Amino acid sequence: MQKKRLIIFYGSQTGTAEEYAIRLAKEAKQKFGIASLVCDPEEYDFENLDQIPEDCAVFFVMATYGEGEPTDNAVQLTQNIFDNDFEFTNGSHKLDGLKYVIFGLGNKTYEHYNAIARKMDTELEGMGAVRIGERGEGDDDRSMEEDYLEWKDGMWEAFAQAMGVEEGQGGDSPDFVVSELDSHVPEKVYQGELSARALTKTKGIHDAKNPFPAPITAARELFSLDGERNCVHMEVNIEGSGIAYQHGDHVGIWPQNSDLEVQRLLCALGLHAKQDTVIGIESLDPALAKVPFPVPTTYSAVLRYYIDISAVIGRQILGTLAKFAPTPEAEAFLSKLSTDKEEYGKVVTNGCLKLGEILQLAAGNDLSAPPSPENTTSWSVPFDIIVSSVPRLQPRFYSISSSPKLQPGSIHITAVVLKYQSLSSEHLPAKNVYGVGTNFILSLKHAHTGSASSDPALNAPAYAIDGPRGMYKGETGYKVPIHVRRSTFRLPTNPKTPVIMIGPGTVSSSCLSIFASGIELTPFRIGCRSLPWLRSGTCGPRSPNSREEWCGGTRRLGSHLALLWLPQIKRGLPVPR
């Protein structure tokens, strides 16, 4: 077995850092023929970190979570690195000569941007470790992908020099073997189930690896029914699930890709007639690339439930897809996009193009027509490349807007539905772009209330909301797969500590959970942009439905509530009464 010369640790809350860790391992193999070990730090002890051989290096791919905190799986790692009293096998808190690379994931709209990666870098240098290349920082508010691409080329050059290796010693090799199964047990085929327990309908703890299909008990529109925007309030029943939550926690909803994008990609990959074919997937190097979803499964289940085909396609994969283009023109088109950052931005980023759409566009197909095998050019892209290159479809997280004190058996979700216009280019006109999670919620709301979708346009998303084997369609209504993610936010324990909450959009409804939990403790200040609303006491959401919910929460606060006029505060002027 080839010696692993790279150890790659990832601190990941939603899976993104893990994806970048795997990408780095794959690139090391392709460029230099170097084998890597991709590690979840939660599964390792770090006393032996000082024993890494001189011809090896450690990569840290670290996301910053919450208020500048490590992700859950990186708590122990960061504690060991940051604690000067922690000793390695050398009897000291030193890592002299350890070669390391670090890439951080953050968001500049938050105060503690990339705090964990920056602190890790400072601490490692102080311990005598030697960084290879510059510290990389990805900004999710801008473009994590472009930040990564800009960083990695210079890093690999420095890596080659530090490790004494030359590029070209590796090669393109698949990560997985995808095989179509002639013999299988139908009951053991995953049709979109998210866990083995979901497939076998056995009881167990409901978490990120085993979401709970929560029955929807209420769903309604909070914005004006004749308006262009939607804000959905949904209530789900968690009684008997073992799920509990606190104020400030988040609920993760597991969405699916829309019917349109699933059909588009099935046609573009030449799999429309084989969409229900059962497939097995085997990793050729489990230490480098684990099969990212349960198998055996089907082509259509992978595209609908397991991988994120609704995301904007990354620039790096376009060069790989170009090798399988059906025409020289399509190959040239994708090759240019993969190497020309500016052109990629104009066409793909501004156009919000997904995987299926870029394949259709490159082949000269009509994106405005419903995709079919007759009007969509088939590409001969091996399915293992799709599995390797497209990230796993992740849950979407929303602040819980119910109170664990008032509604312990129910979780309330309040979310503005994401819909916006892309920018036009010489290749495509502007189009509507729909967020995956919130439009899935909107579709469930329509089904629960029996109302029709408000947007009959071609690319308005429709979903298979019955779920795999109809598991999300109950006798009395629909269910939605959820789990709860803990938050580090808690109200101050000192009842005299004032609380100021500032936030846009649906934050007012989400704050109802905190209102109920802190009603006997803390005075609340709630800002408002509209002076007439402030004076009339109706500061909050503007539609009748959402205002009713808002006012219910503010009435419970009574004398603990204070309203502030935000424009006056911003200019340092007295707050009007």
Side-chain angles (χ1 to χ4, degrees):
M1 182 179 292
Q2 186 180 7
K3 176 184 176 182
K4 310 291 185 182
R5 294 186 61 188
L6 296 186
I7 302 174
I8 305 178
F9 292 109
Y10 60 85
S12 186
Q13 196 72 23
T14 62
T16 305
E18 181 180 4
E19 291 165 9
Y20 279 102
I22 293 172
R23 286 176 64 174
L24 286 166
K26 292 178 181 178
E27 290 189 34
K29 182 179 179 181
Q30 293 168 357
K31 288 177 177 289
F32 310 108
I34 292 180
S36 305
L37 185 64
V38 179
C39 306
D40 183 342
E42 198 170 33
E43 300 174 357
Y44 290 84
D45 295 322
F46 295 95
E47 288 86 353
N48 296 321
L49 196 59
D50 61 321
Q51 298 297 314
I52 301 295
E54 290 185 5
D55 63 343
C56 299
V58 181
F59 282 44
F60 298 96
V61 184
M62 307 299 293
T64 296
Y65 173 61
E67 297 300 313
E69 296 141 3
T71 57
D72 291 343
N73 73 320
V75 170
Q76 190 62 51
L77 166 62
T78 54
Q79 284 179 350
N80 293 160
I81 297 296
F82 298 164
D83 183 4
N84 291 329
D85 293 329
F86 178 80
E87 293 184 356
F88 300 101
T89 58
N90 58 21
S92 68
H93 192 64
K94 301 293 289 183
L95 293 171
D96 291 324
L98 175 70
K99 300 184 184 72
Y100 75 95
V101 171
I102 190 160
F103 181 74
L105 295 82
N107 188 310
K108 281 189 175 177
T109 61
Y110 291 85
E111 178 183 359
H112 304 283
Y113 173 64
N114 265 313
I116 294 301
R118 292 177 177 182
K119 188 172 182 180
M120 281 277 293
D121 189 22
T122 300
E123 293 291 334
L124 288 168
E125 281 192 321
M127 296 158 66
V130 180
R131 189 183 64 234
I132 297 175
E134 298 296 324
R135 180 182 66 238
E137 293 188 353
D139 178 14
D140 194 41
D141 185 55
R142 177 175 168 262
S143 173
M144 187 76 71
E145 176 72 6
E146 286 301 323
D147 290 339
Y148 170 78
L149 294 178
E150 290 177 8
W151 166 78
K152 73 180 185 70
D153 290 339
M155 182 277 294
W156 285 128
E157 290 180 8
F159 176 86
Q161 184 175 0
M163 300 291 289
V165 294
E166 294 183 3
E167 190 168 348
Q169 298 176 4
D172 289 334
S173 59
D175 298 316
F176 305 103
V177 173
V178 178
S179 54
E180 297 181 355
L181 306 180
D182 297 325
S183 176
H184 58 272
V185 180
E187 293 78 13
K188 294 184 178 181
V189 175
Y190 288 86
Q191 300 284 357
E193 292 86 359
L194 297 169
S195 67
R197 282 174 286 179
L199 180 67
T200 58
K201 294 182 171 61
T202 55
K203 293 184 178 180
I205 297 173
H206 292 290
D207 52 20
K209 296 180 180 179
N210 183 39
F212 172 64
I216 299 171
T217 56
R220 61 181 181 273
E221 176 63 52
L222 296 186
F223 285 172
S224 300
L225 296 179
D226 56 351
E228 294 184 359
R229 301 178 67 215
N230 298 96
C231 180
V232 175
H233 174 83
M234 181 175 289
E235 302 175 10
V236 298
N237 187 349
I238 58 172
E239 292 179 352
S241 67
I243 294 176
Y245 67 97
Q246 298 295 323
H247 55 271
D249 287 349
H250 307 100
V251 59
I253 291 185
W254 291 77
Q256 55 185 255
N257 294 302
S258 68
D259 294 344
L260 177 67
E261 294 309 320
V262 173
Q263 291 304 310
R264 190 194 308 277
L265 199 49
L266 285 170
C267 295
L269 296 176
L271 297 173
H272 189 270
K274 302 167 67 174
Q275 58 184 291
D276 295 324
T277 299
V278 177
I279 58 174
I281 303 176
E282 181 182 357
S283 174
L284 295 177
D285 186 353
L288 173 63
K290 298 178 183 178
V291 179
F293 43 79
V295 289
T297 183
T298 66
Y299 288 118
S300 61
V302 172
L303 300 185
R304 184 179 299 279
Y305 295 103
Y306 296 138
I307 62 176
D308 196 352
I309 64 172
S310 300
V312 174
I313 186 69
R315 183 158 61 93
Q316 192 169 13
I317 188 182
L318 297 180
T320 301
L321 296 175
K323 301 174 183 177
F324 305 97
T327 65
E329 293 78 12
E331 179 181 5
F333 181 72
L334 288 191
S335 296
K336 180 175 178 58
L337 291 178
S338 69
T339 56
D340 189 330
K341 177 181 176 181
E342 184 176 348
E343 185 69 10
Y344 169 85
K346 290 179 180 178
V347 177
V348 179
T349 304
N350 291 347
C352 301
L353 296 183
K354 311 172 188 71
L355 174 57
E357 291 175 321
I358 198 66
L359 295 180
Q360 280 193 312
L361 179 63
N365 302 146
D366 181 6
L367 272 68
S368 65
S372 69
E374 291 72 32
N375 64 16
T376 303
T377 302
S378 176
W379 293 57
S380 58
V381 182
F383 201 68
D384 67 85
I385 290 180
I386 301 299
V387 175
S388 297
S389 305
V390 182
R392 175 75 189 264
L393 184 60
Q394 299 289 345
R396 271 49 175 178
F397 291 97
Y398 305 92
S399 296
I400 297 175
S401 56
S402 52
S403 166
K405 292 185 178 180
L406 299 180
Q407 298 102 3
S410 178
I411 286 179
H412 298 183
I413 303 136
T414 308
V416 172
V417 178
L418 182 62
K419 172 186 171 183
Y420 60 94
Q421 282 266 311
S422 67
L423 300 179
S424 62
S425 70
E426 60 178 301
H427 301 282
L428 283 174
K431 63 169 184 176
N432 284 334
V433 180
Y434 298 87
V436 173
T438 52
N439 281 277
F440 177 60
I441 293 173
L442 180 62
S443 182
L444 288 168
K445 192 273 291 186
H446 289 316
H448 180 82
T449 60
S451 59
S453 172
S454 59
D455 192 344
L458 169 65
N459 64 342
Y463 300 88
I465 57 175
D466 286 9
R469 295 184 170 92
M471 68 182 300
Y472 299 147
K473 180 69 167 69
E475 295 181 0
T476 59
Y478 288 91
K479 303 176 182 179
V480 57
I482 69 165
H483 77 279
V484 168
R485 184 177 73 182
R486 300 299 178 196
S487 169
T488 57
F489 174 83
R490 292 294 179 264
L491 286 168
T493 56
N494 184 348
K496 295 183 179 180
T497 302
V499 173
I500 300 175
M501 286 185 263
I502 302 173
T506 57
V507 72
S508 54
S509 294
S510 303
C511 285
L512 292 177
S513 168
I514 302 172
F515 286 173
S517 300
I519 187 170
E520 299 300 331
L521 298 175
T522 309
F524 285 84
R525 273 74 163 162
I526 301 172
C528 182
R529 293 183 179 180
S530 170
L531 182 57
W533 278 37
L534 182 69
R535 286 173 172 162
S536 65
T538 57
C539 181
R542 300 193 177 192
S543 68
N545 291 333
S546 53
R547 193 155 55 235
E548 176 185 351
E549 183 166 332
W550 167 265
C551 291
T554 56
R555 278 196 298 270
R556 286 195 297 271
L557 284 172
S559 61
H560 292 266
L561 176 66
L563 298 176
L564 308 179
W565 192 44
L566 295 184
Q568 292 288 86
I569 297 173
K570 186 176 180 180
R571 293 195 296 266
L573 300 177
V575 177
R577 299 294 179 182

